[in-house]
mmCIF file of all heavy atoms in Angstrom:
data_model
loop_
_atom_site.group_PDB
_atom_site.id
_atom_site.type_symbol
_atom_site.label_atom_id
_atom_site.label_comp_id
_atom_site.label_asym_id
_atom_site.label_seq_id
_atom_site.Cartn_x
_atom_site.Cartn_y
_atom_site.Cartn_z
ATOM 1 N N GLN A 6 12.237 11.653 19.522
ATOM 2 C CA GLN A 6 13.234 11.941 18.502
ATOM 3 C C GLN A 6 12.672 11.731 17.102
ATOM 4 O O GLN A 6 12.958 12.496 16.177
ATOM 5 C CB GLN A 6 14.469 11.058 18.716
ATOM 6 C CG GLN A 6 15.271 11.415 19.959
ATOM 7 C CD GLN A 6 16.450 10.477 20.166
ATOM 8 O OE1 GLN A 6 16.555 9.434 19.511
ATOM 9 N NE2 GLN A 6 17.332 10.838 21.075
ATOM 10 N N ALA A 20 -1.790 17.231 8.939
ATOM 11 C CA ALA A 20 -2.815 17.994 9.653
ATOM 12 C C ALA A 20 -3.888 18.480 8.688
ATOM 13 O O ALA A 20 -5.092 18.430 8.992
ATOM 14 C CB ALA A 20 -2.174 19.174 10.378
ATOM 15 N N TRP A 40 -21.511 5.047 6.866
ATOM 16 C CA TRP A 40 -20.103 5.237 7.210
ATOM 17 C C TRP A 40 -19.199 5.152 5.985
ATOM 18 O O TRP A 40 -18.247 5.925 5.864
ATOM 19 C CB TRP A 40 -19.678 4.189 8.252
ATOM 20 C CG TRP A 40 -20.185 4.471 9.628
ATOM 21 C CD1 TRP A 40 -21.129 5.398 9.976
ATOM 22 C CD2 TRP A 40 -19.773 3.832 10.843
ATOM 23 N NE1 TRP A 40 -21.349 5.368 11.331
ATOM 24 C CE2 TRP A 40 -20.532 4.421 11.887
ATOM 25 C CE3 TRP A 40 -18.865 2.819 11.147
ATOM 26 C CZ2 TRP A 40 -20.390 4.024 13.217
ATOM 27 C CZ3 TRP A 40 -18.709 2.429 12.467
ATOM 28 C CH2 TRP A 40 -19.465 3.031 13.490
ATOM 29 N N PHE A 44 -16.911 8.131 4.511
ATOM 30 C CA PHE A 44 -15.463 7.971 4.357
ATOM 31 C C PHE A 44 -15.026 8.351 2.953
ATOM 32 O O PHE A 44 -14.008 9.028 2.766
ATOM 33 C CB PHE A 44 -15.050 6.530 4.641
ATOM 34 C CG PHE A 44 -13.634 6.228 4.234
ATOM 35 C CD1 PHE A 44 -12.570 6.679 4.993
ATOM 36 C CD2 PHE A 44 -13.384 5.508 3.070
ATOM 37 C CE1 PHE A 44 -11.259 6.427 4.592
ATOM 38 C CE2 PHE A 44 -12.081 5.254 2.673
ATOM 39 C CZ PHE A 44 -11.026 5.708 3.436
ATOM 40 N N PHE A 48 -12.393 11.196 2.153
ATOM 41 C CA PHE A 48 -11.143 10.863 1.466
ATOM 42 C C PHE A 48 -10.978 11.709 0.204
ATOM 43 O O PHE A 48 -9.901 12.248 -0.061
ATOM 44 C CB PHE A 48 -11.128 9.378 1.115
ATOM 45 C CG PHE A 48 -9.845 8.899 0.498
ATOM 46 C CD1 PHE A 48 -8.638 9.034 1.169
ATOM 47 C CD2 PHE A 48 -9.850 8.300 -0.760
ATOM 48 C CE1 PHE A 48 -7.449 8.590 0.598
ATOM 49 C CE2 PHE A 48 -8.667 7.849 -1.331
ATOM 50 C CZ PHE A 48 -7.460 7.997 -0.651
ATOM 51 N N ALA A 51 -10.022 15.166 1.071
ATOM 52 C CA ALA A 51 -8.645 15.268 1.547
ATOM 53 C C ALA A 51 -7.611 15.155 0.427
ATOM 54 O O ALA A 51 -6.568 15.808 0.485
ATOM 55 C CB ALA A 51 -8.388 14.191 2.600
ATOM 56 N N GLY A 54 -7.663 17.805 -4.301
ATOM 57 C CA GLY A 54 -6.863 18.912 -4.807
ATOM 58 C C GLY A 54 -5.434 18.502 -5.093
ATOM 59 O O GLY A 54 -4.857 18.864 -6.134
ATOM 60 N N GLY A 55 -4.840 17.748 -4.186
ATOM 61 C CA GLY A 55 -3.466 17.294 -4.369
ATOM 62 C C GLY A 55 -3.322 16.345 -5.548
ATOM 63 O O GLY A 55 -2.298 16.338 -6.242
ATOM 64 N N LEU A 109 -3.429 25.063 5.067
ATOM 65 C CA LEU A 109 -2.277 24.162 5.079
ATOM 66 C C LEU A 109 -2.011 23.551 3.704
ATOM 67 O O LEU A 109 -0.863 23.422 3.274
ATOM 68 C CB LEU A 109 -2.497 23.049 6.108
ATOM 69 C CG LEU A 109 -2.616 23.504 7.567
ATOM 70 C CD1 LEU A 109 -2.832 22.302 8.477
ATOM 71 C CD2 LEU A 109 -1.383 24.271 8.016
ATOM 72 N N PHE A 123 9.223 24.678 -10.918
ATOM 73 C CA PHE A 123 8.314 25.566 -11.625
ATOM 74 C C PHE A 123 8.407 26.990 -11.066
ATOM 75 O O PHE A 123 8.765 27.174 -9.904
ATOM 76 C CB PHE A 123 6.872 25.055 -11.503
ATOM 77 C CG PHE A 123 6.595 23.825 -12.309
ATOM 78 C CD1 PHE A 123 6.795 22.557 -11.767
ATOM 79 C CD2 PHE A 123 6.143 23.923 -13.615
ATOM 80 C CE1 PHE A 123 6.543 21.416 -12.511
ATOM 81 C CE2 PHE A 123 5.886 22.784 -14.366
ATOM 82 C CZ PHE A 123 6.088 21.523 -13.819
ATOM 83 N N TRP A 126 4.579 31.814 -10.168
ATOM 84 C CA TRP A 126 3.189 32.026 -10.574
ATOM 85 C C TRP A 126 2.471 30.688 -10.772
ATOM 86 O O TRP A 126 1.280 30.568 -10.484
ATOM 87 C CB TRP A 126 3.110 32.887 -11.840
ATOM 88 C CG TRP A 126 3.681 32.287 -13.080
ATOM 89 C CD1 TRP A 126 4.965 32.370 -13.528
ATOM 90 C CD2 TRP A 126 2.974 31.502 -14.055
ATOM 91 N NE1 TRP A 126 5.115 31.685 -14.712
ATOM 92 C CE2 TRP A 126 3.909 31.156 -15.071
ATOM 93 C CE3 TRP A 126 1.660 31.066 -14.180
ATOM 94 C CZ2 TRP A 126 3.569 30.389 -16.187
ATOM 95 C CZ3 TRP A 126 1.312 30.299 -15.285
ATOM 96 C CH2 TRP A 126 2.256 29.964 -16.270
ATOM 97 N N ASN A 177 14.112 36.396 1.585
ATOM 98 C CA ASN A 177 15.061 35.393 2.103
ATOM 99 C C ASN A 177 14.681 34.862 3.488
ATOM 100 O O ASN A 177 15.553 34.530 4.294
ATOM 101 C CB ASN A 177 16.483 35.962 2.140
ATOM 102 C CG ASN A 177 17.024 36.248 0.746
ATOM 103 O OD1 ASN A 177 16.808 35.469 -0.185
ATOM 104 N ND2 ASN A 177 17.704 37.380 0.599
ATOM 105 N N CYS A 178 13.389 34.793 3.753
ATOM 106 C CA CYS A 178 12.929 34.190 5.004
ATOM 107 C C CYS A 178 13.108 32.669 4.911
ATOM 108 O O CYS A 178 13.132 32.096 3.815
ATOM 109 C CB CYS A 178 11.464 34.530 5.262
ATOM 110 S SG CYS A 178 11.122 36.291 5.503
ATOM 111 N N ALA A 180 12.144 28.660 5.159
ATOM 112 C CA ALA A 180 10.962 27.935 4.685
ATOM 113 C C ALA A 180 9.891 27.882 5.770
ATOM 114 O O ALA A 180 8.704 28.013 5.489
ATOM 115 C CB ALA A 180 11.354 26.532 4.247
ATOM 116 N N TRP A 203 -17.105 39.868 3.298
ATOM 117 C CA TRP A 203 -16.361 40.307 2.116
ATOM 118 C C TRP A 203 -16.625 39.330 0.976
ATOM 119 O O TRP A 203 -16.748 38.131 1.184
ATOM 120 C CB TRP A 203 -14.862 40.340 2.390
ATOM 121 C CG TRP A 203 -14.447 41.313 3.462
ATOM 122 C CD1 TRP A 203 -15.175 42.352 3.954
ATOM 123 C CD2 TRP A 203 -13.212 41.320 4.174
ATOM 124 N NE1 TRP A 203 -14.468 43.013 4.926
ATOM 125 C CE2 TRP A 203 -13.261 42.421 5.083
ATOM 126 C CE3 TRP A 203 -12.057 40.539 4.129
ATOM 127 C CZ2 TRP A 203 -12.202 42.708 5.946
ATOM 128 C CZ3 TRP A 203 -11.003 40.825 4.977
ATOM 129 C CH2 TRP A 203 -11.077 41.907 5.873
ATOM 130 N N LEU A 205 -16.760 39.007 -3.759
ATOM 131 C CA LEU A 205 -16.791 39.629 -5.068
ATOM 132 C C LEU A 205 -18.239 39.888 -5.479
ATOM 133 O O LEU A 205 -19.160 39.241 -4.982
ATOM 134 C CB LEU A 205 -16.117 38.704 -6.091
ATOM 135 C CG LEU A 205 -14.621 38.447 -5.884
ATOM 136 C CD1 LEU A 205 -14.135 37.408 -6.901
ATOM 137 C CD2 LEU A 205 -13.824 39.731 -6.011
#
Side-chain angles (χ1 to χ4, degrees):
Q6 291 177 348
W40 285 12
F44 168 75
F48 184 58
L109 297 180
F123 288 89
W126 65 271
N177 294 320
C178 296
W203 297 343
L205 295 175

